[in-house]
């Protein structure tokens, strides 16, 4: 019956009508959008388009109200306060914001990041630490298991405050990390914990206040929303102490010849014209997602993942790299065929869309001893028949090579 639910969900997504043969299994890269989300975007521009916070005319008031309602909607979605929600372009920008602001603040002496992180949660810390003379500590964890003891040992060597930034669900393999435990370890050792929620938030209900993470970053486009809008959520007392990232209009209080004071939260971190439509449409995407029982959606995606593992593991020469408890993602490679060729043939011969490559996790792939993987990733509109098509598609591609 969960499969029937997914079938009915699929009917809400126009792309599957326009491409009836498409088996879309590249959801970890970006998800498709339901009609309500697509319509909300044009409705904003038809009915309510104006810049926010700047004018007193009624259209600007309407746009401002919608934008601030979207902020509240997101706050209720992840259980934070509205002032703690900052709109960004996506996870990447949220993490760059934090890396710059922490570096400028002088509040920490080192950045600690696991090597299995997505490049978006690795390169900013690595590069910005160089600019500001902050210590950068890559932590080698294999990503199939996340060893708490090893993390604890590393944190014990740190004498000064630090930032620890980690994903909740890895994008290359689909490993759910035990971040709840790690938050505690980080706090016990005097650090700030940042959660990269780009993969996790689309799949699980999240309680920002309850988990105790200091910051959370995620992207709208991986959870039915538009591209170019994302979120940074941060504890108010820490956000207040951090300096702004971008400077410009909207984020100021008073501007003097020599110095400027900044606006209160969250506006201090929202310089310039924002993606107002994006924020409003993201709220619509959340409305869509929360129409369903999210536990059921999660169970369905887990069932698809387990079914895919079982289906494709019997294919000769195919190696599965995802851990046995992966969620939403199965990454694999064939002993004799490059994953780009396999992905291309899956698309060309069978209409199955999977990703191939290093998945923005070059260090992780290096640790696994592989240069390139195929990744099938599932979302709420995928059905068991899609997995069958994947397995048949792989077999067909292999015959093509034989
Ligand atoms: N972190 C993880 C775990 C991701 O999967 C992604 C997107 N692939 C990002 C960060 C970056 O997100 P965005 O490209 O939306 O900024």
């Amino acid at each position: 019956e969960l499969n029937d639910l997914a079938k009915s969900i699929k009917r809400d997504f126009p792309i599957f009508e326009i491409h009836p043969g498409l088996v879309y299994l590249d959801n970890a890269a970006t998800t498709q959008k339901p009609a309500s989300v697509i319509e909300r975007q044009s409705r904003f521009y038809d009915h309510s388009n104006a810049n926010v916070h700047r004018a007193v005319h009624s259209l600007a008031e309407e746009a401002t109200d919608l934008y601030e309602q979207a902020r509240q909607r997101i706050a209720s979605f992840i259980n934070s306060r509205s002032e703690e929600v900052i709109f960004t372009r996506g996870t990447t920008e949220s993490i760059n914001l934090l890396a710059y602001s922490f570096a400028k603040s002088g509040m920490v002496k080192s950045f600690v990041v696991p090597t299995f992180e997505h490049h978006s949660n690795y390169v900013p810390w690595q590069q910005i630490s160089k600019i500001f003379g902050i210590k950068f500590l890559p932590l080698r964890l294999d990503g199939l298991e996340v060893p708490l003891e090893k993390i604890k040992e590393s944190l014990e060597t740190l004498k000064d405050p630090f930032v620890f930034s980690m994903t909740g669900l890895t994008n290359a393999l689909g490993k759910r990390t035990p971040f709840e435990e790690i938050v505690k370890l980080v706090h016990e050792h005097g650090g700030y914990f940042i959660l990269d929620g780009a993969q996790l938030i689309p799949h699980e209900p999240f309680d920002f206040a309850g988990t105790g993470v200091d910051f959370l970053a995620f992207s709208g486009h991986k959870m039915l929303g538009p591209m170019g809008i994302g979120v940074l959520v941060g504890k108010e007392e820490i956000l207040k102490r951090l300096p702004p990232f971008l400077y410009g209009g909207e984020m100021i209080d008073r501007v003097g010849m020599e110095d400027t004071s900044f606006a209160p939260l969250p506006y201090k971190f929202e310089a310039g014209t924002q993606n107002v439509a994006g924020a409003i449409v993201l709220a619509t995407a959340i409305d869509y997602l929360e129409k369903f029982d999210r536990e059921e959606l999660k169970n369905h995606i887990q069932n698809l993942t387990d079914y895919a593992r079982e289906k494709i593991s019997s294919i000769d020469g195919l190696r599965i790299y995802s851990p046995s408890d992966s969620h939403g993602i199965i990454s694999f490679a064939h002993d004799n065929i490059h994953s780009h060729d396999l992905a291309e043939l899956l698309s060309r011969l069978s209409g199955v869309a999977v990703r191939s490559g290093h998945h923005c996790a070059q260090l992780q792939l290096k640790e696994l001893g592989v240069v390139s993987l195929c990744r099938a990733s599932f979302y709420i509109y995928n059905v068991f028949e899609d997995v069958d098509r994947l397995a048949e598609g792989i077999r067909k591609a292999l015959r093509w090579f034989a």
Side-chain angles (χ1 to χ4, degrees), residues 28-29 90-93 95 118 120-121 167 169-171 196 198-199 219 221-222:
T91 306
T92 304
E93 187 178 298
I95 291 170
H118 188 282
S120 292
N121 188 31
T167 190
L169 186 62
T170 66
N171 69 297
D196 173 349
Q199 296 295 340
S219 299
H221 69 97
K222 291 185 200 279

Side-chain angles (χ1 to χ4, degrees), residues 9 11-12 14 29 121 132 141 151 155 194 240 316 336 344:
I9 290 176
R11 288 195 283 275
D12 291 336
N121 188 31
F132 289 88
L141 306 169
I151 295 175
L155 300 185
I194 295 168
K240 275 189 176 152
D316 238 16
N336 307 326
E344 202 209 313

Side-chain angles (χ1 to χ4, degrees), residues 52-53 64 67-72 74-75 80-88 93 97 101 230-236 238-240 242-246 249-252 262-272 274:
V52 297
H53 300 311
T64 304
Y67 184 61
E68 291 307 325
Q69 281 162 19
R71 196 189 305 280
Q72 283 166 15
I74 281 137
S80 73
R81 276 174 284 155
S82 295
E83 308 82 81
E84 297 177 314
V85 172
I86 294 156
F87 287 115
T88 65
E93 187 178 298
L97 183 164
S101 294
V231 178
L232 171 65
V233 192
K235 280 186 185 159
E236 190 173 356
I238 311 174
L239 282 174
K240 275 189 176 152
L242 288 176
F245 167 45
L246 298 174
E250 292 301 298
M251 51 75 69
I252 49 92
F262 304 118
L265 290 175
Y267 310 109
K268 181 170 95 173
F269 291 103
E270 291 184 357
Q274 298 298 296

Side-chain angles (χ1 to χ4, degrees), residues 34-271:
S36 61
V37 162
I38 299 166
E39 283 156 14
R40 188 67 190 91
Q41 171 107 358
S42 56
R43 188 173 164 80
F44 172 77
Y45 286 114
D46 284 346
H47 285 74
S48 322
N49 179 52
N51 212 334
V52 297
H53 300 311
R54 281 170 212 255
V56 290
H57 63 79
S58 58
L59 209 52
E61 276 177 3
E62 180 179 332
T64 304
D65 285 349
L66 290 170
Y67 184 61
E68 291 307 325
Q69 281 162 19
R71 196 189 305 280
Q72 283 166 15
R73 184 70 187 88
I74 281 137
S76 75
F77 175 64
I78 41 91
N79 190 29
S80 73
R81 276 174 284 155
S82 295
E83 308 82 81
E84 297 177 314
V85 172
I86 294 156
F87 287 115
T88 65
R89 276 195 304 135
T91 306
T92 304
E93 187 178 298
S94 298
I95 291 170
N96 274 271
L97 183 164
L98 284 174
Y100 270 108
S101 294
F102 264 109
K104 287 193 282 189
S105 75
M107 284 157 56
V108 296
K109 289 277 191 290
S110 44
F111 294 156
V112 189
V113 188
T115 51
F116 60 56
E117 293 300 317
H118 188 282
H119 297 158
S120 292
N121 188 31
Y122 192 85
V123 182
W125 303 108
Q126 180 199 57
Q127 292 299 312
I128 294 163
S129 66
K130 291 185 208 281
I131 304 172
F132 289 88
I134 287 175
K135 230 183 297 161
F136 176 66
L137 297 171
L139 203 55
R140 267 186 84 132
L141 306 169
D142 71 11
L144 296 175
E145 288 307 320
V146 183
L148 293 177
E149 261 320 298
K150 186 166 177 190
I151 295 175
K152 192 164 173 223
E153 275 166 29
S154 308
L155 300 185
E156 272 162 6
T157 64
L158 300 172
K159 299 282 167 280
D160 297 304
F162 59 93
V163 162
F164 187 99
S165 191
M166 197 182 77
T167 190
L169 186 62
T170 66
N171 69 297
L173 301 183
K175 171 71 188 175
R176 167 68 159 79
T177 66
F179 69 87
E180 296 93 336
E181 307 294 316
I182 301 168
V183 175
K184 289 192 201 117
L185 286 180
V186 166
H187 286 161
E188 277 163 25
H189 292 84
Y192 297 95
F193 186 92
I194 295 168
L195 185 69
D196 173 349
Q199 296 295 340
L200 184 80
I201 298 300
H203 288 273
E204 280 187 20
F206 188 80
D207 180 351
F208 178 76
T211 54
V213 304
D214 297 305
F215 296 93
L216 165 72
F218 61 98
S219 299
H221 69 97
K222 291 185 200 279
M223 44 181 286
L224 312 177
M227 292 181 174
I229 188 76
V231 178
L232 171 65
V233 192
K235 280 186 185 159
E236 190 173 356
E237 65 274 17
I238 311 174
L239 282 174
K240 275 189 176 152
R241 285 189 285 138
L242 288 176
F245 167 45
L246 298 174
Y247 300 95
E250 292 301 298
M251 51 75 69
I252 49 92
D253 175 26
R254 274 170 199 282
V255 179
M257 287 266 275
E258 304 297 338
D259 212 349
T260 290
S261 60
F262 304 118
L265 290 175
Y267 310 109
K268 181 170 95 173
F269 291 103
E270 291 184 357

